[in-house]
Amino acid sequence: MAGTGRMSETIKTDVLIIGAGPVGLFAVFELGLLDIKTHLVDILDKVGGQCAELYPEKPIYDIPGIPFITGHGLSDALMEQIKPFKPEFHLNEMVTSIENIGDPLYRVTTDGGKLFECKAIVIAAGGGSFQPKRPPINGIEPYENKSVHYAVRKMGNFRDKNLLIVGGGDSALDWTLNLAPIAKRLTLVHRRDDFRGAPDSVNKMRALVAKGAMDLKIGQVSELEGAEGKLSAVSIKGNDGAVARVEVDAMLPFFGLTMKLGPVANWGLKMEDELIEVDVSTFETNIPGIFAVGDINTYPGKLKLILSGFHEVALMAQKAHHYVHPEKKLVFQYTTSSTSLQKKLGVS
Ligand SMILES: Cc1cc2nc3c(=O)[nH]c(=O)nc-3n(C[C@H](O)[C@H](O)[C@H](O)COP(=O)(O)OP(=O)(O)OC[C@H]3O[C@@H](n4cnc5c(N)ncnc54)[C@H](O)[C@@H]3O)c2cc1C
């Protein structure tokens, strides 16, 4: 999605991690043990990457030492594990550009106008950036980011507006419940009278409809009316063929997310089939100081498994240490026996 154009003060950190999926999160741990400070940027509004977005309730059975954990559970456990290192998160932000400004020093920019300076970069971008699916409505493009929005960045922008939310999943229902109290009038449109979202949200939405606090229409948006990116009304075609016209100031379609490689392709990295090539002893890319770990990288025998990413970040951290603390000698230590590591973890 387009950025806000705002530019903020430069945030300085040792390492910037692009992607807060399971591998990006565990990178915080391995880097933290080596006294390396991290900031993480993710386009999603939550951490956990695919685990949190695509299968939060599904069980994972192949995390070593954990016989069973859900996607959501794994994200929570990783967040708990990295707490001692106080990583800073910048969610709802997509990294758009990387620039080399020193030896080694990188400037990283997001679509929300954030600027970072760091000594090394860890790309843990998984299958790329999650991007909203565009609904099949003719002529929607000119309205996008003006009066058609695929995410709610600021609820206040929708106060006292006639809103149309489209979709039947959790996002559509959650935003219906959050925005109905502040909207002038809110209409939810879904193609059938059966919702995929949590039953509790469905019940709450139906209760609002029953007391006349919002409208529910079953059908599909068939036409948009407006000019210069500003919507004025939409037509909704019911399953019986009848067309209703609803006045709207803003439309919020929630049709799920799809993964696209996105800006990673433009960063001058050596790639093969949309994946970043790495040196398997360090997980460094062809650009010194830029690493790629997890699903986004490729090497002979690569398996897109969470445990592979966990292994990769341990090796990556050893090389990143050279860039962040070139003056310090790195001594290999175990967490079970090193009091210095235990101090960093806050357990001794
Ligand atoms: C249904 C399903 C079941 C699975 N089951 C298992 C299993 O049982 N065991 C197993 O080991 N693996 C499983 N996997 C695979 C596993 O989820 C992935 O290997 C893992 O998520 C990879 O982690 P990652 O951190 O590399 O990437 P991701 O989880 O993809 O996270 C990458 C993050 O980077 C962000 N990002 C990308 N580009 C940018 C950018 N430019 N700016 C900011 N942020 C960006 C994305 O928004 C995303 O949050 C499964 C996958 C799916 C889809």
Side-chain angles (χ1 to χ4, degrees):
M1 294 298 102
T4 58
R6 116 192 101 82
M7 274 288 166
S8 51
E9 261 177 45
T10 303
I11 301 165
K12 295 194 173 171
T13 180
D14 292 337
V15 168
L16 185 85
I17 300 174
I18 303 171
V23 179
L25 293 179
F26 197 59
V28 172
F29 185 85
E30 291 293 334
L31 291 164
L33 286 181
L34 306 186
D35 292 320
I36 298 174
K37 296 260 169 302
T38 48
H39 279 243
L40 298 95
V41 181
D42 203 298
I43 197 169
L44 295 177
D45 59 0
K46 54 176 145 338
V47 303
Q50 295 175 46
C51 303
E53 186 60 43
L54 300 181
Y55 58 101
E57 304 302 331
K58 278 206 178 127
I60 308 171
Y61 298 102
D62 56 355
I63 303 297
I66 305 174
F68 158 96
I69 190 163
T70 62
H72 186 67
L74 179 65
S75 309
D76 283 354
L78 285 164
M79 287 298 279
E80 186 61 31
Q81 193 170 18
I82 64 178
K83 231 187 212 165
F85 304 112
K86 301 188 176 64
E88 292 194 41
F89 291 92
H90 306 268
L91 301 177
N92 282 314
E93 301 268 344
M94 176 166 74
V95 171
T96 47
S97 71
I98 291 180
E99 200 189 334
N100 182 229
I101 54 164
D103 185 26
L105 194 64
Y106 292 96
R107 182 180 293 138
V108 176
T109 317
T110 70
D111 64 340
K114 287 199 179 173
L115 272 181
F116 298 86
E117 263 179 36
C118 54
K119 293 175 193 149
I121 296 172
V122 174
I123 303 173
S129 34
F130 283 100
Q131 308 222 338
K133 284 187 191 155
R134 175 181 280 154
I137 303 171
N138 280 340
I140 194 170
E141 290 90 343
Y143 297 102
E144 286 175 340
N145 301 313
K146 292 181 183 146
S147 49
V148 170
H149 303 274
Y150 296 105
V152 178
R153 290 202 171 183
K154 238 188 179 172
M155 277 180 52
N157 292 347
F158 299 104
R159 187 174 295 281
D160 299 325
K161 298 262 169 77
N162 285 315
L163 301 182
L164 189 87
I165 292 186
V166 194
D170 281 316
S171 297
L173 287 162
D174 286 351
W175 285 118
T176 295
L177 299 178
N178 279 298
L179 292 171
I182 65 165
K184 185 172 171 192
R185 190 74 191 167
L186 187 146
T187 306
L188 173 65
V189 183
H190 186 40
R191 66 195 147 82
R192 53 200 163 91
D193 199 5
D194 180 25
F195 292 82
R196 276 174 287 114
D200 179 54
S201 307
V202 179
N203 292 340
K204 284 184 178 146
M205 179 274 292
R206 291 203 193 277
L208 287 178
V209 175
K211 70 174 186 183
M214 60 165 280
D215 300 308
L216 170 64
K217 293 209 178 295
I218 306 305
Q220 298 193 45
V221 175
S222 55
E223 205 185 325
L224 306 177
E225 286 175 44
E228 289 165 13
K230 207 175 161 333
L231 270 183
S232 50
V234 302
S235 298
I236 299 164
K237 193 171 182 190
N239 295 344
D240 56 359
V243 176
R245 187 174 172 277
V246 179
E247 290 190 1
V248 298
D249 301 309
M251 178 165 93
L252 297 141
F254 293 104
F255 278 47
L257 299 170
T258 168
M259 288 179 96
K260 292 209 175 111
L261 181 62
V264 178
N266 310 324
W267 297 339
L269 298 161
K270 202 164 170 223
M271 304 196 64
E272 187 196 330
D273 291 339
E274 305 210 318
L275 297 165
I276 304 172
E277 290 184 16
V278 285
D279 169 346
V280 288
S281 62
T282 57
F283 295 94
E284 196 165 21
T285 65
N286 60 308
I287 304 181
I290 303 186
F291 300 84
V293 289
D295 277 14
I296 193 76
N297 74 15
T298 182
Y299 51 86
K302 165 77 182 186
L303 289 179
K304 287 191 183 182
L305 283 174
I306 296 164
L307 71 86
S308 313
F310 288 174
H311 155 80
E312 294 162 14
V313 295
L315 270 64
M316 170 280 293
Q318 301 283 312
K319 180 75 191 276
H321 185 268
H322 289 280
Y323 293 111
V324 178
H325 300 301
E327 71 296 349
K328 287 193 199 160
K329 190 167 176 291
L330 189 56
V331 181
F332 177 75
Q333 299 177 86
Y334 289 124
T335 54
T336 37
S337 43
S338 160
T339 44
S340 122
L341 292 185
Q342 289 165 4
K343 233 179 233 153
K344 291 175 200 174
L345 291 167
V347 293
S348 86

